[in-house]
Amino acid sequence: MNINDFLSIAIIGAVLSIVIQFIKNKFGMNANMIKLMTILLAVFVGIVYYFLSQTIWWQTILGVLAAASTVYALLLKGSN
């Protein structure tokens, strides 16, 4: 595992946390359901990451995410 894998996992973890928080706020689930959902989503996202990271698509996805975050940080965030 190299440093790019750690960065990718951190990005995916952050996105997964945002998704779980959104679902929690939207549907108002109890703590046990949130824990179960977190585990299931983490396993699912881990499987998807494993298979996508071994394709050329993964580099494209990360490139688009990096470009989008750069444009947002430099151009759009300042205008809010």
Side-chain angles (χ1 to χ4, degrees):
M1 186 175 273
N2 59 23
I3 191 70
N4 290 336
D5 291 333
F6 285 115
L7 293 174
S8 299
I9 291 170
I11 292 169
I12 292 169
V15 171
L16 184 60
S17 296
I18 293 168
V19 168
I20 290 170
Q21 187 65 36
F22 173 77
I23 292 171
K24 181 180 172 182
N25 291 338
K26 184 78 172 172
F27 299 108
M29 298 176 167
N30 65 21
N32 289 331
M33 285 300 293
I34 293 294
K35 289 176 186 175
L36 178 63
M37 183 186 61
T38 301
I39 292 169
L40 293 175
L41 282 174
V43 169
F44 175 74
V45 170
I47 291 169
V48 170
Y49 169 77
Y50 175 77
F51 287 110
L52 278 181
S53 68
Q54 297 181 18
T55 67
I56 190 112
W57 294 350
W58 190 246
Q59 293 173 352
T60 304
I61 292 168
L62 289 181
V64 168
L65 284 174
S69 64
T70 302
V71 168
Y72 174 78
L74 293 177
L75 301 177
L76 301 177
K77 189 174 182 185
S79 64
N80 287 339

PDB file of all heavy atoms in Angstrom, residues 29-47:
ATOM      1  N   MET A  29     -32.798   8.005  12.188  1.00  0.00           N
ATOM      2  CA  MET A  29     -32.673   6.633  12.678  1.00  0.00           C
ATOM      3  C   MET A  29     -32.088   6.610  14.095  1.00  0.00           C
ATOM      4  O   MET A  29     -31.424   7.549  14.514  1.00  0.00           O
ATOM      5  CB  MET A  29     -31.766   5.832  11.752  1.00  0.00           C
ATOM      6  CG  MET A  29     -32.266   5.703  10.354  1.00  0.00           C
ATOM      7  SD  MET A  29     -31.048   4.833   9.366  1.00  0.00           S
ATOM      8  CE  MET A  29     -31.987   4.459   7.940  1.00  0.00           C
ATOM      9  N   ASN A  30     -32.317   5.492  14.789  1.00  0.00           N
ATOM     10  CA  ASN A  30     -31.733   5.356  16.121  1.00  0.00           C
ATOM     11  C   ASN A  30     -30.257   4.964  16.018  1.00  0.00           C
ATOM     12  O   ASN A  30     -29.752   4.651  14.937  1.00  0.00           O
ATOM     13  CB  ASN A  30     -32.524   4.359  16.976  1.00  0.00           C
ATOM     14  CG  ASN A  30     -32.474   2.941  16.428  1.00  0.00           C
ATOM     15  OD1 ASN A  30     -31.602   2.579  15.663  1.00  0.00           O
ATOM     16  ND2 ASN A  30     -33.452   2.141  16.830  1.00  0.00           N
ATOM     17  N   ALA A  31     -29.564   4.952  17.146  1.00  0.00           N
ATOM     18  CA  ALA A  31     -28.108   4.763  17.165  1.00  0.00           C
ATOM     19  C   ALA A  31     -27.690   3.390  16.623  1.00  0.00           C
ATOM     20  O   ALA A  31     -26.704   3.275  15.896  1.00  0.00           O
ATOM     21  CB  ALA A  31     -27.575   4.953  18.578  1.00  0.00           C
ATOM     22  N   ASN A  32     -28.440   2.355  16.961  1.00  0.00           N
ATOM     23  CA  ASN A  32     -28.077   1.013  16.498  1.00  0.00           C
ATOM     24  C   ASN A  32     -28.237   0.873  14.989  1.00  0.00           C
ATOM     25  O   ASN A  32     -27.428   0.221  14.322  1.00  0.00           O
ATOM     26  CB  ASN A  32     -28.903  -0.051  17.223  1.00  0.00           C
ATOM     27  CG  ASN A  32     -28.499  -0.182  18.671  1.00  0.00           C
ATOM     28  OD1 ASN A  32     -27.354   0.068  19.033  1.00  0.00           O
ATOM     29  ND2 ASN A  32     -29.446  -0.572  19.507  1.00  0.00           N
ATOM     30  N   MET A  33     -29.273   1.472  14.429  1.00  0.00           N
ATOM     31  CA  MET A  33     -29.458   1.427  12.975  1.00  0.00           C
ATOM     32  C   MET A  33     -28.357   2.206  12.257  1.00  0.00           C
ATOM     33  O   MET A  33     -27.886   1.785  11.199  1.00  0.00           O
ATOM     34  CB  MET A  33     -30.833   1.992  12.594  1.00  0.00           C
ATOM     35  CG  MET A  33     -31.983   1.058  12.887  1.00  0.00           C
ATOM     36  SD  MET A  33     -31.855  -0.503  12.008  1.00  0.00           S
ATOM     37  CE  MET A  33     -32.066   0.037  10.336  1.00  0.00           C
ATOM     38  N   ILE A  34     -27.943   3.325  12.825  1.00  0.00           N
ATOM     39  CA  ILE A  34     -26.854   4.114  12.232  1.00  0.00           C
ATOM     40  C   ILE A  34     -25.560   3.304  12.239  1.00  0.00           C
ATOM     41  O   ILE A  34     -24.819   3.289  11.247  1.00  0.00           O
ATOM     42  CB  ILE A  34     -26.673   5.448  12.979  1.00  0.00           C
ATOM     43  CG1 ILE A  34     -27.890   6.343  12.771  1.00  0.00           C
ATOM     44  CG2 ILE A  34     -25.407   6.162  12.557  1.00  0.00           C
ATOM     45  CD1 ILE A  34     -28.071   6.815  11.347  1.00  0.00           C
ATOM     46  N   LYS A  35     -25.288   2.617  13.339  1.00  0.00           N
ATOM     47  CA  LYS A  35     -24.068   1.794  13.424  1.00  0.00           C
ATOM     48  C   LYS A  35     -24.095   0.679  12.396  1.00  0.00           C
ATOM     49  O   LYS A  35     -23.100   0.428  11.708  1.00  0.00           O
ATOM     50  CB  LYS A  35     -23.916   1.224  14.828  1.00  0.00           C
ATOM     51  CG  LYS A  35     -23.563   2.261  15.852  1.00  0.00           C
ATOM     52  CD  LYS A  35     -23.525   1.667  17.242  1.00  0.00           C
ATOM     53  CE  LYS A  35     -23.317   2.758  18.272  1.00  0.00           C
ATOM     54  NZ  LYS A  35     -23.392   2.258  19.643  1.00  0.00           N
ATOM     55  N   LEU A  36     -25.234  -0.011  12.289  1.00  0.00           N
ATOM     56  CA  LEU A  36     -25.363  -1.088  11.311  1.00  0.00           C
ATOM     57  C   LEU A  36     -25.221  -0.549   9.893  1.00  0.00           C
ATOM     58  O   LEU A  36     -24.514  -1.129   9.062  1.00  0.00           O
ATOM     59  CB  LEU A  36     -26.710  -1.791  11.484  1.00  0.00           C
ATOM     60  CG  LEU A  36     -27.011  -2.911  10.495  1.00  0.00           C
ATOM     61  CD1 LEU A  36     -26.001  -4.049  10.665  1.00  0.00           C
ATOM     62  CD2 LEU A  36     -28.424  -3.414  10.695  1.00  0.00           C
ATOM     63  N   MET A  37     -25.877   0.572   9.604  1.00  0.00           N
ATOM     64  CA  MET A  37     -25.784   1.180   8.284  1.00  0.00           C
ATOM     65  C   MET A  37     -24.344   1.601   7.972  1.00  0.00           C
ATOM     66  O   MET A  37     -23.871   1.431   6.854  1.00  0.00           O
ATOM     67  CB  MET A  37     -26.712   2.381   8.191  1.00  0.00           C
ATOM     68  CG  MET A  37     -26.719   3.024   6.827  1.00  0.00           C
ATOM     69  SD  MET A  37     -27.663   4.531   6.782  1.00  0.00           S
ATOM     70  CE  MET A  37     -26.786   5.521   7.954  1.00  0.00           C
ATOM     71  N   THR A  38     -23.637   2.138   8.956  1.00  0.00           N
ATOM     72  CA  THR A  38     -22.250   2.552   8.757  1.00  0.00           C
ATOM     73  C   THR A  38     -21.377   1.366   8.393  1.00  0.00           C
ATOM     74  O   THR A  38     -20.559   1.438   7.471  1.00  0.00           O
ATOM     75  CB  THR A  38     -21.717   3.235  10.025  1.00  0.00           C
ATOM     76  OG1 THR A  38     -22.537   4.362  10.324  1.00  0.00           O
ATOM     77  CG2 THR A  38     -20.284   3.686   9.838  1.00  0.00           C
ATOM     78  N   ILE A  39     -21.548   0.269   9.108  1.00  0.00           N
ATOM     79  CA  ILE A  39     -20.756  -0.934   8.822  1.00  0.00           C
ATOM     80  C   ILE A  39     -21.058  -1.457   7.426  1.00  0.00           C
ATOM     81  O   ILE A  39     -20.140  -1.769   6.652  1.00  0.00           O
ATOM     82  CB  ILE A  39     -21.007  -2.007   9.892  1.00  0.00           C
ATOM     83  CG1 ILE A  39     -20.421  -1.549  11.230  1.00  0.00           C
ATOM     84  CG2 ILE A  39     -20.417  -3.351   9.484  1.00  0.00           C
ATOM     85  CD1 ILE A  39     -20.823  -2.398  12.406  1.00  0.00           C
ATOM     86  N   LEU A  40     -22.340  -1.559   7.094  1.00  0.00           N
ATOM     87  CA  LEU A  40     -22.716  -2.070   5.771  1.00  0.00           C
ATOM     88  C   LEU A  40     -22.226  -1.164   4.641  1.00  0.00           C
ATOM     89  O   LEU A  40     -21.698  -1.650   3.633  1.00  0.00           O
ATOM     90  CB  LEU A  40     -24.230  -2.249   5.691  1.00  0.00           C
ATOM     91  CG  LEU A  40     -24.821  -3.342   6.585  1.00  0.00           C
ATOM     92  CD1 LEU A  40     -26.340  -3.331   6.507  1.00  0.00           C
ATOM     93  CD2 LEU A  40     -24.262  -4.696   6.225  1.00  0.00           C
ATOM     94  N   LEU A  41     -22.385   0.143   4.811  1.00  0.00           N
ATOM     95  CA  LEU A  41     -21.899   1.067   3.782  1.00  0.00           C
ATOM     96  C   LEU A  41     -20.385   1.038   3.663  1.00  0.00           C
ATOM     97  O   LEU A  41     -19.838   1.121   2.560  1.00  0.00           O
ATOM     98  CB  LEU A  41     -22.379   2.484   4.071  1.00  0.00           C
ATOM     99  CG  LEU A  41     -23.822   2.798   3.714  1.00  0.00           C
ATOM    100  CD1 LEU A  41     -24.197   4.192   4.179  1.00  0.00           C
ATOM    101  CD2 LEU A  41     -24.049   2.658   2.228  1.00  0.00           C
ATOM    102  N   ALA A  42     -19.684   0.910   4.783  1.00  0.00           N
ATOM    103  CA  ALA A  42     -18.225   0.852   4.746  1.00  0.00           C
ATOM    104  C   ALA A  42     -17.741  -0.398   4.008  1.00  0.00           C
ATOM    105  O   ALA A  42     -16.796  -0.333   3.208  1.00  0.00           O
ATOM    106  CB  ALA A  42     -17.658   0.883   6.158  1.00  0.00           C
ATOM    107  N   VAL A  43     -18.397  -1.520   4.250  1.00  0.00           N
ATOM    108  CA  VAL A  43     -18.032  -2.752   3.541  1.00  0.00           C
ATOM    109  C   VAL A  43     -18.320  -2.603   2.050  1.00  0.00           C
ATOM    110  O   VAL A  43     -17.477  -2.945   1.200  1.00  0.00           O
ATOM    111  CB  VAL A  43     -18.777  -3.967   4.137  1.00  0.00           C
ATOM    112  CG1 VAL A  43     -18.616  -5.196   3.260  1.00  0.00           C
ATOM    113  CG2 VAL A  43     -18.266  -4.251   5.542  1.00  0.00           C
ATOM    114  N   PHE A  44     -19.484  -2.077   1.720  1.00  0.00           N
ATOM    115  CA  PHE A  44     -19.843  -1.894   0.312  1.00  0.00           C
ATOM    116  C   PHE A  44     -18.877  -0.941  -0.392  1.00  0.00           C
ATOM    117  O   PHE A  44     -18.381  -1.232  -1.479  1.00  0.00           O
ATOM    118  CB  PHE A  44     -21.283  -1.370   0.199  1.00  0.00           C
ATOM    119  CG  PHE A  44     -21.682  -1.056  -1.208  1.00  0.00           C
ATOM    120  CD1 PHE A  44     -21.958  -2.073  -2.100  1.00  0.00           C
ATOM    121  CD2 PHE A  44     -21.769   0.258  -1.650  1.00  0.00           C
ATOM    122  CE1 PHE A  44     -22.314  -1.787  -3.408  1.00  0.00           C
ATOM    123  CE2 PHE A  44     -22.127   0.557  -2.943  1.00  0.00           C
ATOM    124  CZ  PHE A  44     -22.402  -0.475  -3.833  1.00  0.00           C
ATOM    125  N   VAL A  45     -18.600   0.191   0.231  1.00  0.00           N
ATOM    126  CA  VAL A  45     -17.684   1.170  -0.358  1.00  0.00           C
ATOM    127  C   VAL A  45     -16.274   0.590  -0.452  1.00  0.00           C
ATOM    128  O   VAL A  45     -15.562   0.830  -1.428  1.00  0.00           O
ATOM    129  CB  VAL A  45     -17.713   2.492   0.447  1.00  0.00           C
ATOM    130  CG1 VAL A  45     -16.602   3.427   0.019  1.00  0.00           C
ATOM    131  CG2 VAL A  45     -19.054   3.165   0.282  1.00  0.00           C
ATOM    132  N   GLY A  46     -15.875  -0.194   0.526  1.00  0.00           N
ATOM    133  CA  GLY A  46     -14.566  -0.849   0.474  1.00  0.00           C
ATOM    134  C   GLY A  46     -14.445  -1.813  -0.692  1.00  0.00           C
ATOM    135  O   GLY A  46     -13.411  -1.867  -1.365  1.00  0.00           O
ATOM    136  N   ILE A  47     -15.500  -2.563  -0.936  1.00  0.00           N
ATOM    137  CA  ILE A  47     -15.497  -3.493  -2.077  1.00  0.00           C
ATOM    138  C   ILE A  47     -15.428  -2.728  -3.392  1.00  0.00           C
ATOM    139  O   ILE A  47     -14.649  -3.070  -4.288  1.00  0.00           O
ATOM    140  CB  ILE A  47     -16.740  -4.404  -2.024  1.00  0.00           C
ATOM    141  CG1 ILE A  47     -16.624  -5.370  -0.844  1.00  0.00           C
ATOM    142  CG2 ILE A  47     -16.928  -5.161  -3.331  1.00  0.00           C
ATOM    143  CD1 ILE A  47     -17.904  -6.129  -0.536  1.00  0.00           C
TER     144      ILE A  47
END
